[in-house]
Amino acid sequence: MAFTNSGFPEIRAIFLAQFHPDQGPIVRMSVPEDAVDVGENAYTDTGATNRSSELRDTGAMGGIVSSNNNFAHEPEVVELIKRTTARGGPSLVDSSKIDFNSIQTLIIPKLTLFERLITVNTGRFKVMCYPVAIEGNYARNMFIFNMCFAFDISADTKCYGPVVKRVGSLLKELEVTGRLLSDVAGTRALLTMMRQLVNKLNDHGEYQIELDLKGLSQPMASTGISIKLFPYYENPATIEAFHVPVKLVDFDVARRKSAQTVYQQHASNDIMWDLVLDKVAEGIDNVNHVRRIARQAQIPEPTVVLALQHLDYYGCIALVDIFQFSNVYEAQARVKDVMRNGWLQRECHAYVTRDGQAGTVSLERLIQLYATVRQRRTVAEWIVDNCIDVERFDVRRFIVFGVLHGMLRRVHCFPVLCASVENADKEPSRRGSNSASGSGDEEPLKLEPRVVAMLDGTHHLDEICVAENKDAAVMRGLLDSYGGIEYVHL
């Protein structure tokens, strides 16, 4: 996958597709010129008539250009996969070009896909587009076009979604006000815009141009277009009360850097974050879970979750499970990354050893230890099996580092109530401590209804412990005393 100088995926080509009243879907122009393989256009006058009728039959003649789209409840992004190989034989299309004939029905689609972001995978390319239809005084009473952006098939094009949509909307506005696309006089301005779009976005990640609209029925002789690419961030992860936030950056440095960005000068010592962020940041020590942070900061838990989602969104923290020596982990295939990545080895060694002491644990030993982590062995048992010197080796950091880099996975314990409460009531020996003492006079142990409701196999032990504010060993003892509990490790 190729990247531009600005760090965004490289645009391989841009092409303008139109619905021709006689020929059907065509490629009017492209940059580079030979980027699209149109082959032999199979559309005739009859084909175009059928296609136009199909659009009318599906309601494409009305409501498409209205801002109040009747299909607003449908998703704006549609991802489709189109194969270039025809049935019964190999593809005859040049693999270095975009096969337009194989995707033309998706580039000029039906009504439900108009004014939606569409991603089509074809051959070696990923094509993003935003089809537009304008009703008016045109042949067949409608003008349909689609400005398409092509990337490598493996490119992550999420950051280009707003750009593709904005270009389609701008072209629609320019067509409505000045016939930029339908008038032959606008061809030169269009081609100039397409060339500069490719060059400017690839080189600088932004685009600004004054379009020369002389000769068109525009209210102005020129118009300016400004487009800028921005990084795409995934929506914040769902944060639960039992999650433990782990710092990925130095909050003191991040606080001052953000202040310098806002004020464009050296930040003074009294520059502060939002009060909630400051309070929450004080409680993040890579050990406290979310509910404990909320209690220590005396802030409502939903507010703390919002603050942590903000930090997670910008990559300041990561979320792991509560570390306990009774936890069970298993090694993942990514353990091999430590063997190949020198930077990861150094980071792991510095993070795991106490105070970064050199010579305490060799890199070979670290790799070996990650490989020995397996299911059905708790962390405490693993320490004994491998003779770990906990005075010089930070086990918690070792586990957290492995989880953060995908080398270890937590195996959660899910308690499941197998026997019904009614059956358990009939067997007091299974419900209380009287089974151990041999006395039948003691009251049978009863769990709160909310705890019993969580014993359905969908809540793991960490979640139940945090909800009840109890230690894992204490909670497990209560569940064992209650009886009828099976533990599933997943």
Side-chain angles (χ1 to χ4, degrees):
M1 180 174 62
F3 289 90
T4 65
N5 293 335
S6 54
F8 298 103
E10 182 179 358
I11 301 175
R12 291 300 188 183
I14 293 181
F15 62 94
L16 175 63
Q18 280 184 210
F19 182 81
H20 193 277
D22 298 323
Q23 300 176 8
I26 62 171
V27 176
R28 178 175 169 185
M29 61 183 72
S30 66
V31 177
E33 294 183 4
D34 59 347
V36 183
D37 187 341
V38 295
E40 294 183 3
N41 198 328
Y43 282 89
T44 61
D45 290 348
T46 304
T49 302
N50 293 339
R51 181 69 172 146
S52 182
S53 300
E54 181 182 334
L55 287 170
R56 281 197 298 271
D57 292 341
T58 56
M61 299 301 292
I64 294 180
V65 297
S66 172
S67 59
N68 298 321
N69 198 319
N70 295 329
F71 296 87
H73 62 281
E74 298 184 6
E76 288 194 355
V77 180
V78 181
E79 294 193 5
L80 304 166
I81 299 178
K82 191 72 175 178
R83 301 184 185 276
T84 60
T85 303
R87 294 181 181 177
S91 174
L92 301 177
V93 180
D94 185 353
S95 61
S96 63
K97 298 182 180 180
I98 303 166
D99 181 15
F100 179 71
N101 284 340
S102 69
I103 60 173
Q104 59 183 352
T105 57
L106 304 175
I107 298 300
I108 306 295
K110 294 186 179 181
L111 168 66
T112 53
L113 297 182
F114 276 108
E115 299 195 13
R116 300 280 189 269
L117 277 176
I118 298 177
T119 301
V120 183
N121 292 344
T122 174
R124 296 167 50 188
F125 298 95
K126 177 182 293 186
V127 179
M128 289 188 71
C129 56
Y130 185 77
V132 176
I134 303 174
E135 188 177 355
N137 187 21
Y138 300 99
R140 304 186 187 277
N141 300 320
M142 183 169 290
F143 182 74
I144 300 172
F145 70 93
N146 196 348
M147 184 68 79
C148 306
F149 291 65
F151 308 87
D152 289 332
I153 187 70
S154 59
D156 183 359
T157 57
K158 294 176 182 177
C159 59
Y160 276 93
V163 170
V164 175
K165 186 174 181 179
R166 176 169 170 77
V167 169
S169 301
L170 284 173
L171 291 178
K172 176 184 176 181
E173 183 67 24
L174 292 174
E175 172 61 25
V176 170
T177 58
R179 301 286 180 128
L180 175 64
L181 284 79
S182 58
D183 195 330
V184 178
T187 302
R188 182 176 178 180
L190 267 177
L191 194 56
T192 299
M193 184 191 75
M194 291 171 63
R195 287 172 178 166
Q196 293 200 17
L197 265 175
V198 175
N199 295 333
K200 297 293 186 181
L201 291 181
N202 281 346
D203 292 342
H204 307 293
E206 56 183 303
Y207 167 81
Q208 188 170 5
I209 185 179
E210 289 286 333
L211 279 180
D212 184 4
L213 303 177
K214 294 179 180 178
L216 298 173
S217 55
Q218 286 277 1
M220 297 181 292
S222 64
T223 185
I225 297 178
S226 298
I227 295 173
K228 184 176 177 62
L229 285 169
F230 292 94
Y232 177 85
Y233 296 101
E234 296 286 351
N235 289 331
T238 301
I239 298 180
E240 304 290 351
F242 53 84
H243 282 144
V244 176
V246 177
K247 295 180 183 179
L248 299 181
V249 299
D250 188 331
F251 284 172
D252 291 334
V253 174
R255 184 184 291 109
R256 297 183 64 80
K257 286 289 185 182
S258 62
Q260 292 175 10
T261 302
V262 172
Y263 298 104
Q264 296 297 319
Q265 59 184 4
H266 293 292
S268 59
N269 293 329
D270 59 349
I271 292 294
M272 296 179 64
W273 275 356
D274 175 84
L275 293 178
V276 173
L277 278 179
D278 267 329
K279 278 287 188 181
V280 170
E282 290 176 2
I284 299 177
D285 60 356
N286 303 344
V287 175
N288 290 337
H289 53 72
V290 173
R291 182 155 295 174
R292 183 178 296 169
I293 293 174
R295 289 172 178 170
Q296 290 180 352
Q298 298 182 350
I299 298 175
E301 188 174 311
T303 305
V304 173
V305 169
L306 287 176
L308 292 175
Q309 283 182 329
H310 184 81
L311 294 173
D312 180 44
Y313 184 79
Y314 289 103
C316 297
I317 62 171
L319 301 172
V320 298
D321 54 88
I322 300 173
F323 175 78
Q324 300 174 94
F325 288 99
S326 59
N327 289 356
V328 178
Y329 297 87
E330 66 174 357
Q332 301 294 291
R334 294 193 64 180
V335 169
K336 61 186 179 183
D337 292 348
V338 185
M339 306 177 188
R340 304 171 181 174
N341 192 325
W343 173 86
L344 193 61
Q345 293 175 3
R346 293 189 295 271
E347 287 292 315
C348 180
H349 188 269
Y351 187 76
V352 170
T353 54
R354 298 279 186 181
D355 301 323
Q357 298 176 21
T360 53
V361 182
S362 65
L363 293 176
E364 293 79 6
R365 177 63 171 162
L366 279 178
I367 298 172
Q368 180 186 13
L369 288 175
Y370 275 119
T372 59
V373 178
R374 61 186 184 274
Q375 282 198 36
R376 293 187 289 275
R377 302 294 289 174
T378 65
V379 174
E381 294 170 337
W382 174 82
I383 292 174
V384 174
D385 292 343
N386 293 275
C387 302
I388 304 296
D389 183 1
V390 294
E391 295 295 329
R392 309 173 74 182
F393 185 89
D394 195 324
V395 177
R396 182 189 63 80
R397 286 186 166 219
F398 174 84
I399 296 295
V400 168
F401 189 90
V403 171
L404 290 179
H405 290 83
M407 296 182 290
L408 298 178
R409 183 184 73 86
R410 170 74 185 278
V411 180
H412 281 287
C413 175
F414 292 84
V416 181
L417 179 61
C418 297
S420 65
V421 176
E422 291 77 13
N423 293 338
D425 284 336
K426 297 177 183 178
E427 302 177 19
S429 61
R430 296 174 53 198
R431 297 285 307 281
S433 58
N434 52 351
S435 60
S437 62
S439 171
D441 298 333
E442 296 183 20
E443 288 292 329
L445 176 67
K446 293 184 179 180
L447 292 177
E448 295 291 338
R450 63 176 180 272
V451 177
V452 175
M454 299 178 75
L455 303 178
D456 58 355
T458 62
H459 305 275
H460 52 71
L461 194 58
D462 283 2
E463 182 178 358
I464 298 173
C465 290
V466 172
E468 294 301 306
N469 194 26
K470 295 183 184 299
D471 182 77
V474 174
M475 178 56 68
R476 185 141 188 175
L478 292 175
L479 295 177
D480 290 340
S481 299
Y482 186 77
I485 306 293
E486 295 290 340
Y487 297 98
V488 179
H489 293 80
L490 295 174

